[in-house]
Amino acid sequence: MRQLDALSISIGVLGGVATLMTATVLTIPVWVVFIAWASFFILGAGTDGMVRSVASNLTGIVIASLTLLVIHALGGGTAVAAVAVGVGSAAMVQASKVGLLSKIPAIVWGFASTVGTVAATGHGITTTSINNPALVAALSMVLGAVFGIASQYWGAAMTTTQRPAAEPAPEGQS
């Protein structure tokens, strides 16, 4: 089977599993799982892509959490949020100086997923339970990377290598 066809099957089936799992067993935002899954592939897939993706996504979550904590500590408001997010955005770019975190978008996906999880769940960053949005986003991101590597390996297992056709011998030779 061709690689894209195999990946279509593995990602399609596992995408359904991820959706069912996050709706019933582990109530976390499925969209964060899919963002991390895409991050895994865009960072090269395989073990290296998984490590780089998880490290970058978690860095974004840490920066977002610190940003949200500053906003909370300073009483919120549009001006406070704007300055804090500006500083957080600059911190994401600075973090990319570390080789493992060199792809800024993967850091941003962690940041955005944390802020989105706050909005989607209604739990603030100061929530002191398993429902803390940073913990929820982190779990979702790691799970997305696991689904990424699982879909890659399953897809590879279904992929056949195309053997080049034997070239005919030049005229007069056999």
Side-chain angles (χ1 to χ4, degrees):
M1 180 180 310
R2 291 186 178 145
Q3 182 182 23
L4 282 181
D5 296 332
L7 280 174
S8 294
I9 293 169
S10 68
I11 291 172
V13 171
L14 291 174
V17 169
T19 301
L20 182 63
M21 179 191 303
T22 59
T24 58
V25 178
L26 208 68
T27 52
I28 57 176
V30 70
W31 51 273
V32 177
V33 173
F34 277 96
I35 289 169
W37 199 334
S39 177
F40 162 81
F41 275 105
I42 205 73
L43 288 174
T47 305
D48 185 58
M50 183 171 187
V51 169
R52 293 170 56 82
S53 181
V54 169
S56 296
N57 297 160
L58 293 180
T59 298
I61 290 169
V62 168
I63 294 170
S65 298
L66 293 172
T67 301
L68 292 168
L69 286 169
V70 167
I71 293 168
H72 176 77
L74 297 179
T78 305
V80 168
V83 170
V85 169
V87 171
S89 297
M92 287 186 279
V93 176
Q94 287 298 306
S96 74
K97 289 179 178 180
V98 175
L100 184 66
L101 310 174
S102 64
K103 302 298 183 197
I104 297 169
I107 301 170
V108 174
W109 295 325
F111 188 104
S113 293
T114 305
V115 175
T117 300
V118 168
T121 64
H123 296 291
I125 197 66
T126 59
T127 301
T128 55
S129 72
I130 194 74
N131 295 319
N132 179 285
L135 292 175
V136 171
L139 174 62
S140 302
M141 287 278 179
V142 170
L143 185 61
V146 169
F147 271 103
I149 204 158
S151 63
Q152 179 192 16
Y153 287 158
W154 185 17
M158 292 187 291
T159 300
T160 55
T161 43
Q162 299 292 328
R163 292 190 183 104
E167 292 186 32
E171 282 188 44
Q173 298 179 358
S174 14

